[in-house]
Amino acid sequence: MIKRWTMRLGLTLALGVTVLLSTTSPAFAGNTLLLLSDIDGRQVAHMVHVDDGDVFKIYDDQADGYGPEGCLQVYTPTHGWATLRCEHNGAGDGNPVSFNYNVLELVAYRMRLCHAIAGCSYQGFTE
């Protein structure tokens, strides 16, 4: 009885580890979201990395006369964070400005989203 229970537990744990390892592969990487809020907690902008196609979208969520700038940065051991590409969105209508950039696997990237009033926010990710 105990032997059968131990075997079932071992099989269940092995199956769980297999599922966990198979879902963390780069093929199952997800989208990355970065929110930027002002001092009162109102969301003024957000940025999204859409993994399928490596599209970066910058949204201006407030019609306040200031537009956010969204950037993609890569980490290099010799120079720290280096900016690869930036786009500005001053529409204030909730529609995105986007750009494509082919991000590589196992490289440290981060999104930087800055706004004149709310400052900057960062979100790191890897493929």
Side-chain angles (χ1 to χ4, degrees):
M1 178 79 169
I2 293 177
K3 190 174 185 180
R4 182 179 287 165
W5 183 82
T6 305
M7 186 182 299
R8 285 182 183 172
L9 179 63
L11 182 60
T12 303
L13 290 174
L15 182 60
V17 169
T18 302
V19 169
L20 180 65
L21 291 176
S22 67
T23 59
T24 58
S25 68
F28 291 100
N31 298 343
T32 305
L33 174 65
L34 172 59
L35 301 174
L36 183 60
S37 300
D38 65 11
I39 195 166
D40 296 323
R42 291 180 299 238
Q43 182 176 316
V44 296
H46 69 282
M47 184 173 177
V48 178
H49 167 233
V50 180
D51 186 52
D52 185 19
D54 285 331
V55 178
F56 294 85
K57 298 180 180 184
I58 300 98
Y59 294 84
D60 185 3
D61 298 327
Q62 294 287 327
D64 56 8
Y66 301 97
E69 179 182 62
C71 299
L72 174 63
Q73 297 181 317
V74 64
Y75 184 78
T76 61
T78 55
H79 296 93
W81 290 103
T83 300
L84 299 172
R85 178 93 190 259
C86 292
E87 289 292 332
H88 179 266
N89 184 345
D93 59 4
N95 291 318
V97 169
S98 62
F99 65 88
N100 291 69
Y101 195 93
N102 186 25
V103 296
L104 305 174
E105 292 182 17
L106 304 177
V107 175
Y109 292 96
R110 76 177 180 184
M111 296 185 301
R112 181 186 77 194
L113 186 60
C114 296
H115 187 273
I117 294 174
C120 295
S121 185
Y122 301 89
Q123 178 64 49
F125 68 96
T126 56
E127 270 298 299

